[in-house]
Amino acid sequence: MPLAPATWPVASSVEQIAANLAAVRHRITTACQRAGRDPASVRLLPVSKTVDEARLRMAYAAGCRQLGENKVQEAQHKADAMADLTDLQWSVIGHLQTNKARQVARFAREFQALDSLRVAEVLQQRLQHEDRTLDVFVQVNTSDEASKYGLEPEAVAGFLQQLPAFDRLHVRGLMTLALFTPEVDRVRACFVRLRTLRDQLRDNAPAGIDLDGLSMGMSGDFEVAIEEGATVVRVGQAIFGARATPDSHYWPVAANGAG
Ligand SMILES: *Cc1c(COP(=O)(O)O)cnc(C)c1O
């Protein structure tokens, strides 16, 4: 069965956002039941890129205490504007250039797209300076698209061996973006690949490198991801509504389309 393309109405009240959150949580619970998993083992990370401050304050009122942002500038701007919400935590989930790492070290609680030692080095330096730590997920390219960010699966073992040198980075697991395609089998294959890789790497992971986390699944495919072991699902549009900005603004799209 293909994944149904969805159009999400824009949520612009506390009630609408709360209703969408409840619906997503219900779908998480149902997917967990299907997979024989405890719903408490899946964290819902609401993704708030392009959503303005007023609606983010509604999300906070609806109970959100974590928000995921793809672009550092936008994330930092929002974190500054909402610094009064002291228990609101920011997760940067998009590819990072080294010149942006300094900002991430300042305000983010979590960074889900680590894929280079150079970025790890800069983060470590800046986190030391700020006397902070950062939870990180290592991003893996599971779709074989040359244009996608993330390490090749074969490179992850060697990469993990280097990470204990960066003691300000607390590795929590692996993250991936699946293929963008309505063919559910091809989407599922990406999630299976991430879980299988994690299972292979877990035994030989260096001390202190925790690979329990699997961040995978978005609005269109999070139930499939949960069936395949996701512990974090990153969901934007199913909570806040459709975005006007095309996804190609946030990650490179292969020239041959989504497959
Ligand atoms: C935007 C984004 C998501 C969420 O996508 P939705 O379609 O809004 O659920 C997940 N992961 C990353 C890396 C993103 O940039």
Side-chain angles (χ1 to χ4, degrees):
M1 202 178 74
L3 292 169
T7 49
W8 295 274
V10 172
S12 48
S13 70
V14 177
E15 291 70 25
Q16 283 168 352
I17 293 172
N20 287 349
L21 280 167
V24 169
R25 290 214 173 89
H26 179 74
R27 287 169 58 190
I28 290 173
T29 299
T30 307
C32 282
Q33 281 163 353
R34 239 182 356 253
R37 299 186 54 195
D38 177 359
S41 67
V42 179
R43 167 162 60 110
L44 171 60
L45 175 62
V47 175
S48 56
K49 63 191 189 221
T50 76
V51 180
D52 65 17
E53 182 186 339
R55 289 168 69 219
L56 291 189
R57 287 184 181 274
M58 293 173 194
Y60 183 88
C64 293
R65 292 297 177 269
Q66 299 179 335
L67 293 172
E69 287 281 339
N70 187 296
K71 300 262 189 206
V72 177
Q73 214 114 321
E74 181 179 349
Q76 164 120 57
H77 179 78
K78 290 174 177 174
D80 288 347
M82 287 180 270
D84 55 305
L85 308 178
T86 52
D87 61 345
L88 182 58
Q89 298 184 334
W90 296 91
S91 179
V92 173
I93 61 176
H95 178 77
L96 195 58
Q97 282 159 351
T98 47
N99 61 351
K100 299 280 170 59
R102 142 194 295 263
Q103 284 163 272
V104 170
R106 209 171 287 149
F107 73 90
R109 176 80 199 76
E110 177 177 79
F111 172 49
Q112 291 207 354
L114 182 65
D115 64 0
S116 94
L117 288 177
R118 185 74 194 109
V119 167
E121 265 164 33
V122 178
L123 284 172
Q124 167 76 13
Q125 271 172 21
R126 299 310 304 176
L127 287 162
Q128 232 154 13
H129 183 77
E130 304 277 343
D131 194 20
R132 298 184 75 239
T133 62
L134 190 65
D135 285 351
V136 303
F137 286 67
V138 173
Q139 184 171 0
V140 183
N141 179 349
T142 54
S143 60
D144 289 330
E145 291 171 294
S147 63
K148 276 261 171 75
Y149 292 126
L151 293 168
E152 296 308 312
E154 302 71 37
V156 178
F159 186 76
L160 293 179
Q161 296 299 325
Q162 310 293 314
L163 294 185
F166 310 107
D167 65 350
R168 298 277 165 165
L169 301 180
H170 294 171
V171 178
R172 300 300 188 202
L174 306 179
M175 177 272 216
T176 202
L177 285 164
L179 269 181
F180 294 102
T181 167
E183 295 170 61
V184 69
D185 291 348
R186 299 180 68 198
V187 172
R188 188 183 297 276
C190 297
F191 299 144
V192 169
R193 197 165 180 193
L194 194 71
R195 186 195 63 226
T196 306
L197 177 69
R198 189 280 306 276
D199 292 348
Q200 287 166 358
L201 294 174
R202 195 139 60 169
D203 289 343
N204 293 319
I209 301 297
D210 165 8
L211 292 183
D212 287 346
L214 290 177
S215 176
M216 53 190 200
M218 314 182 2
S219 290
D221 57 19
F222 69 86
E223 286 146 309
V224 180
I226 288 170
E227 288 168 12
E228 299 305 337
T231 67
V232 182
V233 292
R234 310 177 306 266
V235 179
Q237 298 181 90
I239 296 171
F240 294 106
R243 277 185 299 275
T245 321
D247 283 342
S248 58
H249 181 67
Y250 295 98
W251 50 76
V253 173
N256 63 352

